[in-house]
Every structure is written in C-alpha cells, then in structure tokens.
C-alpha cells in the first residue's frame, strides 16, 4: 500500500489551563511532561518499496490509536502527534529521516519492520536517548544484544514464531521437512534455523535446506529450478518456506508449477493475499502470523481495529502485522503514564516491567534482556483454493532461544 510521502496525525495540544501552564510531572531525573506542545512521535518507515505492505498498515493503525487516545484526552493530559516520513525501504534514507525527527524532538521513533532495513535509523534514536520501536520486527535484533538498550519490537519474534511453525507442522502436516531458506535478510535465515532446531527436537527429520536469495527490489535474483528439483527428490511431507514477497511468492510458484503439492508452511513474511497473484488458486499453504485480516479472527480487539482501519483508509488490511502499530502507541501511553515522563530511559524502564500487558496485539512482555515477545499466541491460517481461513491461535510450547 502507499501512504503520502509525509503525514502528521493528531489533535492540537490542549494548552489552556487556569492559572497558567504546568508540567505533568516534576521528577527532576526525567524529561517531565510539558503539555505546552503535543508529544511528538516520529516514524521512519516504508510507505513505498518492498517493506511497505508490512510497514504501511502498522503505521496506519498507529495513527488510528493516536487519534483515539487524543479524543479520550491524551496521555496525562498531553496530546500526541505522529509525524511519518517515507524511507522508501532505503536504510540510508531512513537514517537521515530518523536524524531529522529526533532533532525535531520526537519522544519515540517508529522504524521499519525489519532490522536489516532499520538498523541505522534505530541506532540514531538510541544514541540520542530516544525510545525506538519497530512495530513488527520478527527477530530478537531489537535490543541490548545489538547495542539498542532503548530498542524494542512490538512484534512476535522468530524464536516463538518459528517454533509454532515447527510444532504445527510436526503435529498436523508431517514429520519430514525440506527447508527453503531465503538468505536475503536476517529474519528469514533465523526463521529457518529456528524451525530446523525445533523440528528436530520434536523428532522430525530435515531432508535438506535449499538456499536462495532475492534482490533489494523483492524478486528472485536467479531461478530456483535446482532447489525445486532437490525438494522433489526429498519427497518430504512438509516444506518450510522462510521468505517474503515478491521472491518468496516466486519461489512458491516455482514449487507448485513443478507439480509439488506438498504442504508449505511459512511465517509473517508471507502473510496476506496481496501476493497471491503469483500463485493462482494456491492450496495446502499455511502461515503463522499476528492475526487474520480475512474477516474470521475471533479477537474482538482485532475486529474493531480492522473496522477502524478500513474506515480510515478505505482499504482492507494487507497483513495481520497492522495490529502491532496500534499496540506500539498503546504501550507508549502506558509507559508515559507510569513513568510520568517521556525520557527514553524512563520509558524503557517501564517497558521492561511489562508482564502480559493486554494490548491489541495480545499479551505483551519485555525484560531487561529480551525486548521482543516470544511467547505471545499467534494465528495459524491456511489457504485453500486461493482463500484464507483462520484455524487457531497458539503459542510456542518451547521458543527457540
């Protein structure tokens, strides 16, 4: 999807108070709330480029959450404003946008839903002492291990996602597997690695790991003819496809066009219907993702948000990852209220106390060491005859950490 190059959402600050303007907190160790101006939230995310189907919906629901919070009186009486600039899925452009937004006084920076793309922009915010959140990064990269003490993902990370993939595949689809491992980004390589680990722990057999890559523009860098031939020789009961559109869709098309009807399971990277034109009448396909955007999700918060999204944008959501955008704003509100501050370190300290917080994205927890969720339930969805159908929510029995 495409959103305008730059948009600002929110309602003007309520600045008039009897007797003058006062801060919302007086803690001298923190950046106390000052309601003379709205609290600025910046977003260096992709509204165009191959990450836009993931970033765009999350960004839109962040806007919806900002509007809702402002209509209800704001955060501790302060209004929020969201300013987003299109990175075009370009890490260098994202870095400059992050620099500009931090200079404007952003108190939280939202970044692209892949660490390989957002690393530079995340570091800018972290180094400036600003809380930085990727709504739907699927790896554990957002956090202290990569020098991001103020970095978080509101997403459900690979250790849990891939474990769910492996557990569901072993239980429901078969106990031998061939892996199609997209080497393009850390998310997909770690997804297949974690799937393999958990599948073997369960007693499954991995016949082979077929590697491929795609270009920055999101297309296969070369045909996967040999990989598909190897998969046919394997004769495994299930294929784990660790990838994302468009190269992932092209790889899946090659598998099906070769007459391989084996069940294929994937993760959030291949959520949605926007890429199904590459594989007409797709069947026997499964994906593990945040929520179903196909009208059958049982979570009332998700249903409400999807309706608000369609009202706001005039479009149906592309992927379930959109729920994490709203949840990022919900989490920010909680942290600001509890800290009485918008200081990055103070907000991070509150995030680290989250223990199954009831957000739209589901129960959300962080610790000082783990700044992403690995135990949150995720939706298992199947595709038959080109139509998606929700199966169940399930959490990983044993995340691969």
């Amino acid at each position: 999807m495409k959103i305008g190059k730059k948009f600002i959402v929110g309602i003007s600050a309520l600045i008039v108070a009897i007797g003058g303007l006062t801060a919302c907190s007086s803690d001298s160790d923190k950046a106390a709330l000052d309601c003379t101006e709205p609290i600025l939230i910046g977003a260096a995310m992709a509204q165009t480029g191959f990450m836009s189907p993931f970033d765009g919906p999350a960004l839109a629901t962040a806007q919806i959450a900002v509007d809702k919070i402002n209509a209800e009186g704001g955060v501790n009486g302060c209004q929020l404003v969201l300013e987003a600039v299109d990175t075009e899925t370009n890490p260098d452009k994202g870095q400059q946008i992050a620099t500009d937004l931090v200079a404007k006084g952003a108190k939280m920076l939202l970044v692209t839903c892949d660490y390989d793309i957002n690393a530079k922009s995340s570091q800018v915010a972290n180094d400036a002492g600003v809380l930085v959140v990727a709504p739907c990064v699927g790896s554990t990269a957002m956090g202290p291990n990569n020098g991001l003490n103020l970095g978080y993902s509101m997403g459900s990370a690979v250790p849990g996602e891939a474990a769910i993939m492996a557990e569901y595949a072993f239980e429901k689809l078969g106990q031998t597997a061939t892996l199609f491992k997209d080497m393009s980004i850390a998310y997909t390589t770690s997804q297949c690695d974690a799937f393999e680990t958990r599948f073997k722990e369960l007693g499954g057999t991995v016949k082979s790991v077929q590697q491929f890559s795609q270009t920055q523009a999101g297309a296969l860098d070369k045909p996967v003819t040999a990989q598909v031939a190897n998969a046919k020789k394997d004769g495994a009961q299930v294929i784990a496809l660790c990838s994302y559109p468009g190269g992932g869709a092209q790889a899946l098309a090659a598998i099906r066009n070769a007459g391989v009807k084996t069940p294929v399971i994937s993760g959030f990277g291949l959520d949605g219907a926007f890429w199904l034109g590459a594989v007409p009448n797709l069947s026997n396909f499964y994906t593990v993702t945040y929520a179903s955007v196909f009208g059958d999700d049982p979570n009332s918060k998700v249903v409400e948000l999807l309706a608000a999204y369609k009202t706001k944008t005039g479009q149906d959501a592309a992927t379930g990852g959109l729920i994490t955008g709203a949840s990022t704003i919900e989490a920010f509100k909680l942290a600001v209220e509890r800290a009485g501050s918008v200081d990055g370190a103070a907000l991070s300290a509150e995030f680290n106390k989250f223990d199954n917080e009831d957000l739209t994205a589901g129960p959300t927890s962080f610790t000082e060491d783990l700044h992403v969720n690995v135990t949150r339930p995720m939706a298992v969805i199947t595709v038959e005859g080109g139509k998606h159908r929700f199966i169940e929510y399930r959490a990983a029995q044993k995340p691969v950490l």
Side-chain angles (χ1 to χ4, degrees):
M1 69 176 290
K2 184 175 181 180
I3 307 172
K5 288 289 180 182
K6 182 175 181 180
F7 66 86
I8 300 177
V9 297
I11 305 174
S12 298
L14 299 175
I15 61 174
V16 179
I18 297 175
L21 301 172
T22 60
C24 299
S25 171
S26 59
D27 189 338
S28 60
D29 294 329
K30 301 171 183 176
L33 298 187
D34 179 1
C35 293
T36 58
E37 294 181 356
I39 298 172
L40 175 62
I41 299 171
M45 297 180 70
Q47 298 166 41
T48 55
F50 73 84
M51 284 303 299
S52 61
F54 305 101
D55 283 13
L59 189 54
T61 63
Q63 174 183 347
I64 289 168
V66 165
D67 289 344
K68 181 178 180 182
I69 289 168
N70 284 342
E72 293 171 351
V75 180
N76 283 5
C78 299
Q79 297 283 286
L80 304 177
V81 64
L82 174 64
E83 180 172 341
V85 184
D86 184 12
T87 67
E88 301 175 7
T89 315
N90 183 316
D92 294 325
K93 187 165 186 176
Q95 181 180 34
Q96 184 57 57
I97 291 168
T99 301
D100 294 343
L101 289 168
V102 167
K104 284 186 173 183
K107 303 307 180 186
M108 178 171 69
L109 184 73
L110 308 187
V111 292
T112 285
C113 288
D114 179 74
Y115 178 71
D116 290 324
I117 307 300
N118 78 37
K120 292 180 178 180
S121 52
S122 294
Q123 200 66 56
V124 166
N126 190 87
D127 290 351
V130 174
L131 186 74
V132 55
V133 182
C136 46
V137 157
S139 74
T140 57
M142 297 294 294
N145 287 343
N146 276 334
L148 296 176
N149 293 329
L150 305 181
Y152 295 81
S153 173
M154 202 54 59
S156 297
V158 161
E161 176 196 47
I164 296 170
M165 289 168 57
E167 290 162 3
Y168 186 87
F170 184 84
E171 177 185 336
K172 303 288 188 180
L173 304 178
Q175 298 180 3
T176 59
T178 294
L179 277 56
F180 269 69
K181 184 177 182 179
D182 189 337
M183 304 300 293
S184 306
I185 57 176
Y187 164 67
T188 52
T189 59
S190 61
Q191 186 182 68
C192 259
D193 290 343
F195 179 98
E196 182 174 10
T197 296
R198 184 68 183 124
F199 197 74
K200 288 179 176 178
E201 285 179 349
L202 292 164
T205 299
V206 173
K207 295 280 193 175
S208 70
V209 179
Q210 303 299 319
Q211 298 183 359
F212 66 99
S213 296
Q214 52 183 307
T215 66
Q216 179 75 13
L220 288 176
D221 66 351
K222 61 183 68 173
V224 292
T225 307
Q227 293 91 326
V228 172
N230 290 336
K232 290 185 74 171
K233 291 177 184 177
D234 286 346
Q237 294 171 308
V238 61
I239 293 172
L241 176 57
C242 306
S243 191
Y244 57 92
Q250 292 173 324
L252 182 55
I255 292 168
R256 289 296 188 247
N257 290 340
V260 180
K261 306 301 182 185
T262 305
V264 176
I265 192 164
S266 191
F268 171 57
L270 281 169
D271 185 19
F274 62 94
W275 54 269
L276 286 185
V279 198
N281 299 312
L282 176 65
S283 290
N284 219 6
F285 178 78
Y286 301 81
T287 186
V288 174
T289 184
Y290 293 94
S292 173
V293 297
F294 303 103
D296 56 357
D297 196 287
N299 185 334
S300 60
K301 288 185 177 182
V302 171
V303 173
E304 180 182 347
L305 184 61
L306 291 175
Y309 177 85
K310 187 162 187 176
T311 298
K312 190 78 174 179
T313 67
Q315 302 176 33
D316 291 319
T319 72
L322 88 169
I323 65 175
T324 61
S327 294
T328 298
I329 304 301
E330 294 165 0
F332 179 75
K333 178 178 184 289
L334 284 177
V336 172
E337 290 174 342
R338 292 171 183 177
S341 170
V342 290
D343 173 72
L347 296 177
S348 175
E350 294 302 325
F351 266 48
N352 291 344
K353 298 174 188 175
F354 279 18
D355 184 11
N356 289 322
E357 297 292 343
D358 184 21
L359 306 181
T360 300
T364 299
S365 304
F366 300 117
T367 68
E368 290 186 2
D369 299 320
L370 189 61
H371 289 190
V372 66
N373 287 267
V374 297
T375 58
R376 180 193 286 155
M378 299 186 74
V380 180
I381 296 171
T382 187
V383 180
E384 292 293 338
K387 302 295 183 183
H388 288 75
R389 177 176 60 84
F390 174 86
I391 297 176
E392 64 174 338
Y393 273 107
R394 64 189 290 162
Q397 298 168 18
K398 183 182 177 184
V400 183
L401 291 169

Coordinates of all heavy atoms in Angstrom, one line a residue, residues 192-258:
C192 N 14.3 -20.0 9.4 CA 14.6 -21.4 9.0 C 15.5 -22.1 10.1 O 15.3 -23.3 10.3 CB 15.2 -21.5 7.6 SG 14.0 -21.9 6.3
D193 N 16.5 -21.4 10.6 CA 17.4 -22.0 11.6 C 16.6 -22.5 12.8 O 16.8 -23.6 13.3 CB 18.4 -21.0 12.0 CG 19.5 -20.7 10.9 OD1 19.6 -21.5 10.0 OD2 20.2 -19.7 11.0
A194 N 15.7 -21.6 13.3 CA 14.9 -21.9 14.5 C 13.9 -23.0 14.2 O 13.7 -23.9 15.0 CB 14.2 -20.7 15.0
F195 N 13.3 -23.0 13.0 CA 12.4 -24.1 12.6 C 13.1 -25.4 12.6 O 12.6 -26.4 13.2 CB 11.8 -23.8 11.2 CG 10.9 -24.9 10.7 CD1 9.5 -24.8 10.8 CD2 11.4 -26.1 10.1 CE1 8.6 -25.8 10.4 CE2 10.5 -27.1 9.7 CZ 9.2 -26.9 9.8
E196 N 14.3 -25.5 12.0 CA 15.1 -26.7 11.9 C 15.4 -27.2 13.3 O 15.2 -28.4 13.6 CB 16.3 -26.5 11.2 CG 17.2 -27.8 11.0 CD 18.4 -27.6 10.1 OE1 18.7 -26.4 9.7 OE2 19.0 -28.6 9.7
T197 N 15.8 -26.3 14.2 CA 16.1 -26.7 15.6 C 14.9 -27.3 16.3 O 15.0 -28.4 16.9 CB 16.7 -25.5 16.4 OG1 17.9 -25.0 15.8 CG2 16.9 -25.9 17.8
R198 N 13.8 -26.6 16.2 CA 12.6 -27.1 17.0 C 12.1 -28.4 16.3 O 11.6 -29.3 17.0 CB 11.6 -26.0 17.0 CG 10.3 -26.4 17.8 CD 10.7 -26.5 19.3 NE 9.5 -26.9 20.1 CZ 9.5 -28.0 20.9 NH1 10.6 -28.8 21.0 NH2 8.4 -28.3 21.5
F199 N 12.1 -28.5 15.0 CA 11.5 -29.6 14.3 C 12.3 -30.9 14.7 O 11.7 -31.9 14.9 CB 11.6 -29.4 12.8 CG 10.7 -30.3 12.0 CD1 9.3 -30.1 12.0 CD2 11.3 -31.3 11.2 CE1 8.5 -31.0 11.2 CE2 10.5 -32.1 10.4 CZ 9.1 -32.0 10.4
K200 N 13.6 -30.7 14.7 CA 14.5 -31.9 15.1 C 14.3 -32.3 16.6 O 14.3 -33.4 16.9 CB 15.9 -31.6 14.8 CG 16.3 -31.5 13.3 CD 17.7 -31.2 13.1 CE 18.1 -31.3 11.7 NZ 19.6 -30.9 11.5
E201 N 14.1 -31.2 17.4 CA 13.8 -31.5 18.9 C 12.6 -32.4 19.0 O 12.5 -33.2 19.9 CB 13.7 -30.2 19.6 CG 14.9 -29.5 19.9 CD 14.7 -28.2 20.7 OE1 13.5 -27.8 20.8 OE2 15.7 -27.5 21.1
L202 N 11.6 -32.1 18.2 CA 10.3 -32.9 18.3 C 10.4 -34.3 17.7 O 9.5 -35.1 17.9 CB 9.2 -32.1 17.5 CG 8.8 -30.8 18.1 CD1 8.0 -29.9 17.1 CD2 8.0 -31.0 19.4
G203 N 11.5 -34.6 17.1 CA 11.7 -35.9 16.5 C 11.6 -35.9 15.0 O 11.7 -37.0 14.3
G204 N 11.5 -34.7 14.4 CA 11.4 -34.6 12.9 C 12.7 -34.7 12.2 O 13.8 -34.6 12.8
T205 N 12.6 -35.0 10.9 CA 13.8 -35.1 10.1 C 13.8 -34.0 9.0 O 12.8 -33.9 8.3 CB 13.9 -36.5 9.4 OG1 13.9 -37.5 10.4 CG2 15.1 -36.6 8.5
V206 N 14.9 -33.3 8.9 CA 15.0 -32.3 7.8 C 15.8 -32.9 6.7 O 17.0 -33.3 6.9 CB 15.7 -31.0 8.4 CG1 16.0 -30.1 7.2 CG2 14.9 -30.3 9.4
K207 N 15.2 -33.1 5.6 CA 15.8 -33.8 4.4 C 16.9 -32.9 3.8 O 18.0 -33.4 3.4 CB 14.7 -34.1 3.4 CG 13.7 -35.1 3.8 CD 14.2 -36.5 3.7 CE 13.1 -37.5 3.9 NZ 13.6 -38.9 3.6
S208 N 16.6 -31.6 3.6 CA 17.6 -30.7 3.0 C 17.2 -29.3 3.3 O 16.1 -29.0 3.6 CB 17.8 -31.0 1.5 OG 16.7 -30.5 0.8
V209 N 18.2 -28.4 3.1 CA 18.0 -27.0 3.2 C 18.4 -26.4 1.9 O 19.5 -26.4 1.5 CB 18.8 -26.3 4.4 CG1 18.6 -24.8 4.4 CG2 18.5 -27.0 5.7
Q210 N 17.4 -25.8 1.2 CA 17.6 -25.2 -0.1 C 17.7 -23.7 0.0 O 16.7 -23.1 0.5 CB 16.4 -25.6 -1.1 CG 16.3 -27.1 -1.2 CD 17.5 -27.8 -1.8 OE1 18.1 -27.3 -2.7 NE2 17.9 -29.0 -1.3
Q211 N 18.8 -23.2 -0.3 CA 19.0 -21.7 -0.2 C 18.7 -21.0 -1.5 O 19.0 -21.5 -2.6 CB 20.4 -21.5 0.3 CG 20.8 -22.1 1.6 CD 22.2 -21.7 2.1 OE1 23.0 -21.1 1.4 NE2 22.6 -22.2 3.2
F212 N 18.2 -19.7 -1.3 CA 18.0 -18.8 -2.4 C 18.1 -17.4 -1.9 O 18.1 -17.2 -0.7 CB 16.7 -19.1 -3.1 CG 15.4 -18.8 -2.3 CD1 14.7 -17.6 -2.5 CD2 15.0 -19.8 -1.4 CE1 13.6 -17.4 -1.7 CE2 13.8 -19.5 -0.6 CZ 13.2 -18.3 -0.8
S213 N 18.1 -16.5 -2.8 CA 18.1 -15.0 -2.4 C 17.2 -14.2 -3.3 O 16.9 -14.7 -4.4 CB 19.5 -14.5 -2.4 OG 20.4 -15.2 -1.5
Q214 N 16.9 -13.0 -2.9 CA 16.2 -12.1 -3.7 C 16.8 -10.7 -3.7 O 17.7 -10.4 -2.8 CB 14.7 -12.0 -3.4 CG 14.4 -11.8 -1.9 CD 12.8 -11.8 -1.7 OE1 12.1 -11.1 -2.4 NE2 12.4 -12.6 -0.8
T215 N 16.5 -9.9 -4.7 CA 17.1 -8.6 -4.8 C 16.5 -7.6 -3.8 O 15.4 -7.8 -3.2 CB 16.9 -8.1 -6.3 OG1 15.5 -7.8 -6.5 CG2 17.4 -9.1 -7.3
Q216 N 17.1 -6.4 -3.8 CA 16.5 -5.3 -2.9 C 15.1 -4.9 -3.4 O 14.3 -4.5 -2.5 CB 17.5 -4.1 -3.0 CG 17.0 -2.9 -2.2 CD 17.2 -3.1 -0.7 OE1 17.9 -4.0 -0.2 NE2 16.7 -2.2 0.1
A217 N 14.9 -5.1 -4.6 CA 13.5 -4.8 -5.2 C 12.5 -5.8 -4.8 O 11.3 -5.6 -5.1 CB 13.6 -4.6 -6.7
G218 N 12.9 -7.0 -4.3 CA 12.0 -8.0 -3.9 C 11.6 -9.0 -5.0 O 10.4 -9.2 -5.3
A219 N 12.6 -9.5 -5.7 CA 12.4 -10.5 -6.7 C 13.6 -11.5 -6.7 O 14.7 -11.2 -6.2 CB 12.4 -9.9 -8.1
L220 N 13.3 -12.8 -7.1 CA 14.4 -13.7 -7.1 C 15.6 -13.2 -7.8 O 15.5 -12.7 -9.0 CB 13.9 -15.1 -7.7 CG 12.9 -15.9 -6.9 CD1 12.5 -17.1 -7.7 CD2 13.5 -16.3 -5.5
D221 N 16.8 -13.4 -7.3 CA 18.0 -13.0 -8.0 C 18.4 -14.0 -9.1 O 19.1 -13.6 -10.1 CB 19.2 -12.7 -7.1 CG 19.7 -14.0 -6.4 OD1 19.0 -15.0 -6.5 OD2 20.7 -13.9 -5.7
K222 N 17.9 -15.2 -9.0 CA 18.1 -16.2 -10.0 C 17.0 -17.3 -9.9 O 16.4 -17.4 -8.8 CB 19.5 -16.8 -10.0 CG 19.8 -17.6 -8.7 CD 21.2 -18.1 -8.7 CE 22.2 -16.9 -8.6 NZ 23.6 -17.4 -8.4
P223 N 16.7 -18.1 -10.9 CA 15.7 -19.1 -10.8 C 16.0 -20.1 -9.7 O 17.2 -20.4 -9.4 CB 15.6 -19.8 -12.1 CG 16.2 -18.7 -13.1 CD 17.2 -18.0 -12.3
V224 N 15.0 -20.8 -9.1 CA 15.1 -21.8 -8.1 C 14.9 -23.2 -8.6 O 14.5 -24.1 -7.9 CB 14.3 -21.5 -6.9 CG1 14.7 -20.2 -6.2 CG2 12.8 -21.4 -7.3
T225 N 15.1 -23.4 -9.9 CA 14.9 -24.6 -10.6 C 15.6 -25.8 -9.9 O 15.0 -26.9 -9.6 CB 15.3 -24.6 -12.0 OG1 14.7 -23.4 -12.7 CG2 14.9 -25.8 -12.8
A226 N 16.8 -25.6 -9.6 CA 17.6 -26.7 -8.9 C 17.1 -27.0 -7.5 O 17.0 -28.2 -7.1 CB 19.1 -26.3 -8.9
Q227 N 16.7 -25.9 -6.8 CA 16.2 -26.1 -5.4 C 14.9 -26.9 -5.5 O 14.7 -27.8 -4.6 CB 16.0 -24.8 -4.7 CG 17.3 -24.0 -4.5 CD 17.7 -23.1 -5.6 OE1 17.5 -23.4 -6.8 NE2 18.3 -22.0 -5.2
V228 N 14.1 -26.6 -6.4 CA 12.8 -27.3 -6.5 C 13.0 -28.7 -6.9 O 12.3 -29.6 -6.4 CB 11.9 -26.6 -7.5 CG1 10.6 -27.4 -7.8 CG2 11.5 -25.2 -7.0
A229 N 13.9 -29.0 -7.8 CA 14.2 -30.4 -8.2 C 14.7 -31.2 -7.0 O 14.4 -32.3 -6.8 CB 15.3 -30.4 -9.3
N230 N 15.5 -30.5 -6.2 CA 16.0 -31.2 -5.0 C 14.9 -31.5 -4.0 O 14.9 -32.6 -3.3 CB 17.1 -30.4 -4.3 CG 18.4 -30.3 -5.1 OD1 18.7 -31.2 -5.9 ND2 19.2 -29.2 -4.9
A231 N 14.0 -30.6 -3.9 CA 12.8 -30.8 -3.0 C 12.0 -32.0 -3.5 O 11.5 -32.8 -2.7 CB 12.0 -29.5 -2.9
K232 N 11.8 -32.1 -4.8 CA 11.1 -33.2 -5.3 C 11.7 -34.5 -5.0 O 11.1 -35.5 -4.6 CB 10.9 -33.1 -6.8 CG 10.0 -31.9 -7.3 CD 9.8 -31.9 -8.8 CE 8.8 -33.0 -9.2 NZ 8.4 -32.9 -10.7
K233 N 13.1 -34.6 -5.1 CA 13.8 -35.8 -4.7 C 13.7 -36.1 -3.2 O 13.6 -37.3 -2.9 CB 15.3 -35.6 -5.1 CG 15.6 -35.5 -6.6 CD 17.1 -35.3 -6.8 CE 17.4 -35.1 -8.3 NZ 18.8 -34.8 -8.5
D234 N 13.6 -35.1 -2.4 CA 13.5 -35.3 -1.0 C 12.2 -36.0 -0.6 O 12.2 -36.9 0.2 CB 13.5 -34.0 -0.2 CG 14.8 -33.3 -0.1 OD1 15.9 -34.0 -0.4 OD2 14.9 -32.1 0.2
G235 N 11.1 -35.6 -1.3 CA 9.8 -36.2 -1.0 C 9.4 -36.0 0.4 O 8.7 -36.8 1.0
A236 N 9.8 -34.9 1.0 CA 9.4 -34.6 2.4 C 7.9 -34.4 2.5 O 7.2 -34.0 1.5 CB 10.1 -33.4 2.9
Q237 N 7.4 -34.5 3.7 CA 5.9 -34.4 4.0 C 5.5 -32.9 4.1 O 4.3 -32.6 4.0 CB 5.6 -35.1 5.2 CG 5.7 -36.7 5.1 CD 5.5 -37.4 6.4 OE1 6.2 -37.0 7.4 NE2 4.7 -38.4 6.4
V238 N 6.5 -32.0 4.4 CA 6.1 -30.6 4.5 C 7.3 -29.8 4.0 O 8.5 -30.2 4.2 CB 5.8 -30.3 6.0 CG1 6.9 -30.5 6.9 CG2 5.3 -28.8 6.1
I239 N 7.1 -28.6 3.5 CA 8.1 -27.6 3.1 C 8.0 -26.4 4.0 O 6.9 -25.9 4.1 CB 8.0 -27.3 1.6 CG1 8.3 -28.5 0.7 CG2 8.9 -26.1 1.3 CD1 8.1 -28.2 -0.7
A240 N 9.0 -26.0 4.6 CA 9.0 -24.7 5.4 C 9.7 -23.7 4.5 O 10.8 -23.8 4.1 CB 9.8 -24.9 6.7
L241 N 8.9 -22.7 4.1 CA 9.4 -21.6 3.2 C 9.6 -20.3 4.1 O 8.7 -19.7 4.5 CB 8.3 -21.3 2.2 CG 8.6 -20.2 1.2 CD1 9.9 -20.3 0.5 CD2 7.4 -20.1 0.2
C242 N 10.9 -20.0 4.3 CA 11.3 -18.9 5.1 C 11.6 -17.7 4.2 O 12.7 -17.6 3.7 CB 12.5 -19.2 6.0 SG 12.2 -20.7 6.9
S243 N 10.6 -16.9 3.9 CA 10.8 -15.8 2.9 C 9.7 -14.7 3.0 O 9.0 -14.7 4.0 CB 10.8 -16.4 1.5 OG 11.3 -15.5 0.5
Y244 N 9.7 -13.9 2.0 CA 8.7 -12.8 1.9 C 8.5 -12.4 0.4 O 9.3 -12.8 -0.4 CB 9.2 -11.6 2.7 CG 10.6 -11.1 2.2 CD1 10.7 -10.1 1.3 CD2 11.8 -11.6 2.8 CE1 11.9 -9.6 0.9 CE2 13.0 -11.2 2.3 CZ 13.1 -10.2 1.4 OH 14.3 -9.8 0.9
P245 N 7.4 -11.7 0.1 CA 7.2 -11.3 -1.3 C 8.3 -10.3 -1.7 O 8.8 -9.6 -0.9 CB 5.8 -10.7 -1.3 CG 5.2 -11.1 0.0 CD 6.4 -11.3 1.0
G246 N 8.5 -10.2 -3.1 CA 8.0 -11.0 -4.1 C 8.8 -12.3 -4.4 O 8.3 -13.2 -4.9
G247 N 10.1 -12.3 -4.0 CA 10.9 -13.5 -4.3 C 10.3 -14.8 -3.6 O 10.3 -15.9 -4.2
G248 N 9.8 -14.6 -2.4 CA 9.2 -15.8 -1.7 C 7.9 -16.3 -2.5 O 7.7 -17.5 -2.6
A249 N 7.1 -15.4 -3.0 CA 6.0 -15.8 -3.8 C 6.4 -16.5 -5.1 O 5.8 -17.4 -5.6 CB 5.1 -14.6 -4.1
Q250 N 7.5 -16.0 -5.7 CA 8.0 -16.6 -6.9 C 8.6 -18.0 -6.6 O 8.4 -18.9 -7.4 CB 9.1 -15.7 -7.5 CG 8.6 -14.4 -8.1 CD 9.8 -13.5 -8.5 OE1 10.8 -13.4 -7.8 NE2 9.6 -12.7 -9.5
A251 N 9.2 -18.1 -5.5 CA 9.7 -19.5 -5.1 C 8.6 -20.4 -4.9 O 8.6 -21.6 -5.4 CB 10.6 -19.4 -3.9
L252 N 7.5 -20.0 -4.2 CA 6.4 -20.8 -4.0 C 5.7 -21.2 -5.4 O 5.3 -22.3 -5.6 CB 5.4 -20.1 -3.1 CG 4.1 -20.9 -2.7 CD1 4.4 -22.2 -2.1 CD2 3.2 -20.0 -1.8
A253 N 5.6 -20.2 -6.3 CA 5.1 -20.5 -7.6 C 5.9 -21.6 -8.3 O 5.3 -22.5 -9.0 CB 5.0 -19.2 -8.4
A254 N 7.2 -21.5 -8.2 CA 8.1 -22.5 -8.8 C 7.8 -23.9 -8.3 O 7.8 -24.9 -9.0 CB 9.5 -22.1 -8.7
I255 N 7.6 -23.9 -6.9 CA 7.3 -25.2 -6.3 C 6.1 -25.8 -6.8 O 6.0 -27.0 -7.2 CB 7.3 -25.0 -4.8 CG1 8.7 -24.7 -4.2 CG2 6.7 -26.3 -4.1 CD1 8.6 -24.2 -2.8
R256 N 5.0 -25.0 -6.9 CA 3.7 -25.5 -7.3 C 3.7 -25.8 -8.8 O 3.1 -26.8 -9.3 CB 2.6 -24.5 -7.0 CG 2.3 -24.5 -5.5 CD 1.8 -25.8 -5.0 NE 1.3 -25.7 -3.6 CZ 1.8 -26.3 -2.6 NH1 2.9 -27.1 -2.8 NH2 1.3 -26.2 -1.4
N257 N 4.4 -25.0 -9.6 CA 4.5 -25.2 -11.1 C 5.2 -26.5 -11.4 O 5.0 -27.0 -12.5 CB 5.1 -24.0 -11.8 CG 4.2 -22.8 -11.7 OD1 3.0 -22.9 -11.5 ND2 4.8 -21.6 -11.9
A258 N 6.1 -26.9 -10.5 CA 6.8 -28.2 -10.7 C 6.0 -29.4 -10.3 O 6.5 -30.5 -10.4 CB 8.1 -28.2 -10.0

